[in-house]
Amino acid sequence: MSIPTISLNAPKEDVAAALREACINFGFFYLDGHDITQSLLDDVFRQSKILFALPEEQKKLLADPVMSRGFTRFEEETLDPKNQPDRGDTKEGYYIGDEIPAEKADASTLSGPNVWPDATITSLSEDQCRAFRNTMERYRAETSRVSMQLVRCFSLAVSDNPGLFDQYFTERKTYIRLLHYSAEASDERSGLYACGAHTDYGMITLLLTDDNPGLQVKLDEEWIDIPPKKGVFVVNIGDMFERWTNGFFRSTLHRVITPAGAKDRYSIPFFFDPNFDALVECLESCCSEDNPAKYPPITAGQHLLNMYAKTHADFEPPCDGKE
């Protein structure tokens, strides 16, 4: 069994039909035809490796647990606590959100400035710090473009209105997350995972991977390998979209397993989520008297805060909220 490949260059109606089938049956698909240059994709990986090569004490200075920005240490995140009793995920990360000026920062909505590499507190030069930021900002612009194209095709997959979701993405939330997995082999018997089994919290994830295997998706109660493909995104829908479609589209369980003898692995998920205050409730086209809404309404932001608090040891919730 393998997940399908969808080309974004196809006619919108064809893309919408392919998305509908992929999200009903898999919740995952490969995406090509996105028109992001290979040189930019390569540069994002290059900058990621430079960042993670910094000494640990320098990386720790680049963290903001309140805004959920910047560096997260190895094993800080535990995505499957039930099956990871002793240690968290064998990966370190770096969150880059939307750049909001400090004077407009709002911790309650995780809105504020990013933590960028700084030549005054790291061994990187000013030119290296500038190159890192420029690359990430270019990448965010391109992946945001692709994600919005997908959102409009998703609208056609569940309705006749290509602008169905537009109102929920006027102040959308985007996150680049650079990830570095150690070469330590996973051990399912002891609950040691590169990345514990989980579903994504938001709307859409565009995953860029290097050439190392490890990603697995659970389909029909079996874990299926998702091989990397150069220049092609692995895309999955998250919990918010499953809620919007009343479970019609699948937010699918996935994990990362590091095999014995593997090398360090790098991947870059890009999360594209609705406005923080967007109300996520069942679409009219996805429920009826015979098929009532399965999930209570919740704002996109509250759902994210709830999930961060459950899975990140260093996350400091800006406010208390209940679903």
Side-chain angles (χ1 to χ4, degrees):
M1 182 183 296
S2 62
I3 61 174
T5 298
I6 297 174
S7 175
L8 200 53
N9 283 334
K12 284 184 180 179
E13 294 75 12
D14 293 347
V15 175
L19 289 175
R20 183 181 176 90
E21 183 175 354
C23 292
I24 290 172
N25 295 316
F26 303 98
F28 270 78
F29 56 91
Y30 290 113
L31 183 73
D32 63 13
H34 48 70
D35 295 333
I36 301 179
T37 65
Q38 187 62 49
S39 61
L40 176 56
L41 303 182
D42 292 342
D43 200 24
V44 175
F45 275 120
R46 187 179 306 113
Q47 296 297 336
S48 176
K49 291 178 180 180
I50 290 172
L51 177 83
F52 286 123
L54 288 172
E56 185 76 7
E57 61 271 17
Q58 293 184 19
K59 289 184 288 190
K60 287 180 178 179
L61 298 175
L62 303 174
D64 183 349
V66 174
M67 290 293 189
S68 193
R69 305 289 179 93
F71 179 67
T72 56
R73 56 184 170 78
F74 277 108
E75 301 186 32
E76 183 272 341
E77 186 173 29
T78 305
L79 281 168
D80 186 11
K82 180 180 178 181
N83 293 306
Q84 294 175 273
D86 300 318
R87 295 175 58 184
D89 297 351
T90 56
K91 68 177 190 294
E92 57 183 343
Y94 200 89
Y95 268 115
I96 305 169
D98 299 295
E99 184 65 28
I100 306 297
E103 61 270 18
K104 296 183 179 180
D106 181 358
S108 68
T109 62
L110 303 181
S111 300
N114 283 301
V115 181
W116 297 106
D118 187 335
T120 65
I121 56 174
T122 70
S123 52
L124 298 177
S125 68
E126 290 186 2
D127 285 346
Q128 287 176 308
C129 293
R130 187 162 43 248
F132 178 92
R133 178 168 179 169
N134 289 343
T135 297
M136 298 306 156
E137 289 181 337
R138 286 170 54 216
Y139 185 66
R140 180 199 308 286
E142 286 291 272
T143 46
S144 293
R145 170 186 62 79
V146 170
S147 297
M148 202 63 215
Q149 284 182 262
L150 280 173
V151 165
R152 294 198 170 111
C153 290
F154 275 126
S155 296
L156 291 174
V158 295
S159 76
D160 295 326
N161 177 11
L164 178 67
F165 291 110
D166 284 7
Q167 63 178 311
Y168 303 111
F169 287 87
T170 54
E171 297 180 0
R172 60 204 180 215
K173 290 284 187 180
T174 69
Y175 292 94
I176 299 169
R177 194 171 188 204
L178 310 177
L179 295 175
H180 168 219
Y181 294 88
S182 77
E184 183 177 6
S186 299
D187 182 357
E188 294 185 58
R189 291 171 299 178
S190 65
L192 182 64
Y193 294 91
C195 179
H198 67 286
T199 57
D200 285 355
Y201 315 144
M203 178 79 169
I204 303 172
T205 305
L206 270 63
L207 176 67
L208 186 65
T209 68
D210 65 11
D211 58 0
N212 292 297
L215 177 63
Q216 296 182 333
V217 172
K218 195 168 190 179
L219 298 171
D220 297 332
E221 301 304 314
E222 292 186 18
W223 288 104
I224 307 298
D225 290 324
I226 307 297
K229 293 186 178 182
K230 188 176 180 66
V232 176
F233 288 106
V234 177
V235 181
N236 64 286
I237 63 167
D239 300 340
M240 289 184 203
F241 209 6
E242 180 172 293
R243 295 176 80 114
W244 249 321
T245 63
N246 208 27
F248 188 51
F249 287 176
R250 297 170 58 173
S251 179
T252 304
L253 205 64
H254 53 287
R255 68 184 185 183
V256 176
I257 297 291
T258 301
K263 300 180 295 182
D264 284 21
R265 179 177 181 268
Y266 295 83
S267 72
I268 305 164
F270 173 77
F271 302 103
F272 191 77
D273 297 330
N275 304 347
F276 199 85
D277 62 357
L279 186 63
V280 180
E281 58 182 342
C282 182
L283 297 168
E284 289 185 6
S285 61
C286 298
C287 61
S288 64
E289 287 187 10
D290 296 330
N291 183 34
K294 298 179 175 69
Y295 309 98
I298 188 172
T299 62
Q302 190 58 60
H303 177 66
L304 290 177
L305 291 174
N306 291 349
M307 299 310 296
Y308 287 165
K310 288 179 181 178
T311 58
H312 284 279
D314 294 345
F315 179 62
E316 300 176 8
C319 60
D320 292 329
K322 296 180 181 179
E323 182 170 344

